[in-house]
Amino acid sequence: WQTLPQVYHLGLVEQALGSKIILEISTAMLLSKHDQDERGFKADALVRSILRRFQTMAFYYGSNFKKVDMKLLREDLKSLSYRSDLHFQKRYRYSNRHKSEIPIGGFEGSLELSNVSPFIGSILKIGETINVGKGAAMGLGQYRIRATE
């Protein structure tokens, strides 16, 4: 959370990460069931999930958040293509409250994104700081961006 204000005060400044990047997912990432497919999950669902989490955090903890042009986002997401090297990892944590194991599994591995616009790049950069998906508040959904070009 310490680095978020620096990113947040920039608003959604477009970051040129390159048109082709790799997301290395280090902790289990699980999006909602309708956002998943046979390759893991849909790349556009990942971007929308990051943006939704960031907007919620900005609403409760910040101010001066720029309103996102959803029409521009939809156009950029149409050109986004991806190749997935994800695998589902079953993990559990023990809950003292429930006296049982709670599943916290999700997808791990890498996701190669092509045709990444600077607008989507800025959203992905924010997601690198705040995590995304189910259990993000507990440290799940963490990834790092690696540029390939």
Side-chain angles (χ1 to χ4, degrees), residues 29-37 40-42 45 48-49 52 107 133-134:
M29 183 183 292
L30 189 62
L31 303 179
S32 66
K33 289 181 182 177
H34 67 276
D35 289 333
Q36 298 175 22
D37 63 10
F41 49 81
K42 301 171 190 165
R48 284 185 278 113
S49 184
R52 188 171 39 251
F107 291 98
K134 182 178 179 185

Side-chain angles (χ1 to χ4, degrees), residues 89-102:
Q89 193 72 274
K90 286 187 177 182
R91 301 244 169 120
Y92 299 91
R93 70 173 181 85
Y94 184 77
S95 169
N96 279 323
R97 182 176 169 191
H98 297 289
K99 304 291 186 222
S100 65
E101 289 186 332
I102 307 292

